[in-house]
Every structure is written in structure tokens, then in C-alpha cells.
Amino acid sequence: MLTVSYIYELPFYRGQQGFAGHLLGGWELSGIVYANSGLPLTVTGGRSIDPAGLGLLDGNSFAGRRPNQISNPNSGAPHTFDEWFNIAAFANPPNAAGPPGDAPRGSVRGPGLQRWDVSLFKNTKVGEHVSTQFRAEAFNIFNHTNFDGVRTTLQSGTFGRIISTRDPRILQLALKVYF
């Protein structure tokens, strides 16, 4: 995970003397950059059997039905909207009495996140004790699509698919008066 924040006050016309100073001075640029690798995801939803009596079918249990993992789901993963990880890496355990599925927790790496938030401020002195600030803010300014949810239930028709995304670009304007 990487988070970088910055603030830069433009160096010209800081004193805001005269018309040109009020017009061209008082500008400030700031922002935050986020870059995160994907979270670990756990594949669930093996067959509805509990051969060893481990409580896997009990809705109050933290243990859950898991399939068998037969290969690395992240190796050669397509990372597309329709198939985020290698769905052929998982198979249902056999119906006959035997051990439950062996897929470990967090074996699938989910999609990462990259977001740039930027703000531009214009601070203007109106008098000795009064000033204004105009703010233009953009969240996810490059409108980068950040995938969010991945269906990890083996028996679902959307297994391995991206099911949601994070917020698109959002712009907002504001005006503050300080007195």
C-alpha cells in the first residue's frame, strides 16, 4: 500500500498587492495518491456435505465449505471483467465420505486500487480580517476504473467475475468566506 499526499502553494504574488496580485496570487495545489495491491480473497461454496462432522454446514460456524484447490489461481490469471482469476484452479470435493475441500483462506489476490485526488484552491484577501477561498476538487481525477467485488462462490453462475466497481470521477466546487 502506498499513500502520498502533497500541498504546493504557488510562489508568485503571495502578497496579493494590487489587481494583478489578487487575480494571480493565492493559488494552492494539493492532493492524495493511493496505490494498493489487491486484498486476499477466499473461495467458498464447495458441495453441501460435511462428511467429517466438522460443522461446515452450520450457519453459525466460522468454518465454511471450501472447494479443493488444484492449482494456483493467480498464475496465468486473465484479470478481465469476466474472469479475474483462474477459475479452473478450483473443483468440488467428491460426494463420497472424505475430507472437506482444501482451498486455503486468501488464496486469490483481488484487484488493486489506484486513485488520484486533486484540489485547486484560490485564496483571496478581501480585507484585513476577511478572506475567501474558492475550491475545485476532483476525486479519482483520471477516472481510472477500480474493480471492487469479485464473486468467489464456486457454485454461482458468476464465479470469478467482477461484480462491482469503486466510485468514478467526482468533481465538487465550494466557496468559503473567512471572517
Side-chain angles (χ1 to χ4, degrees), residues 13-38:
Y13 293 104
R14 285 189 182 176
Q16 295 189 5
Q17 301 297 321
F19 179 74
H22 279 82
L23 182 66
L24 301 174
W27 289 96
E28 184 178 326
L29 181 68
S30 65
I32 301 175
V33 178
Y34 305 93
N36 300 336
S37 62

Side-chain angles (χ1 to χ4, degrees), residues 8-133:
Y8 181 66
E9 187 175 335
L10 298 177
F12 45 86
Y13 293 104
R14 285 189 182 176
Q16 295 189 5
Q17 301 297 321
F19 179 74
H22 279 82
L23 182 66
L24 301 174
W27 289 96
E28 184 178 326
L29 181 68
S30 65
I32 301 175
V33 178
Y34 305 93
N36 300 336
S37 62
L39 294 173
L41 304 173
T42 302
V43 174
T44 60
R47 295 203 193 276
S48 296
I49 58 172
D50 189 5
L54 299 175
L56 298 179
L57 300 179
D58 182 3
N60 296 321
S61 172
F62 287 108
R65 298 182 327 232
R66 299 222 182 109
N68 286 327
Q69 184 171 324
I70 54 178
S71 66
N72 183 351
N74 301 304
S75 178
H79 290 218
T80 64
F81 189 81
D82 288 327
E83 188 177 340
W84 182 256
F85 58 90
N86 181 6
I87 61 174
F90 298 96
N92 273 319
N95 278 333
D102 64 0
R105 291 175 56 110
S107 63
V108 173
R109 179 61 60 186
L113 165 75
Q114 175 189 337
R115 190 172 114 175
W116 293 66
D117 298 343
V118 177
S119 299
L120 180 65
F121 303 154
K122 170 65 171 108
N123 299 302
T124 306
K125 296 177 185 175
V126 178
E128 188 175 325
H129 301 290
V130 179
S131 62
T132 62
Q133 182 184 67

Side-chain angles (χ1 to χ4, degrees), residues 1-2 33-39 110-116 140 144-148 166-167:
M1 175 178 8
L2 172 71
V33 178
Y34 305 93
N36 300 336
S37 62
L39 294 173
L113 165 75
Q114 175 189 337
R115 190 172 114 175
W116 293 66
N140 191 11
H144 178 75
T145 302
N146 290 301
F147 297 132
D148 192 15
R166 296 180 187 264
D167 289 337

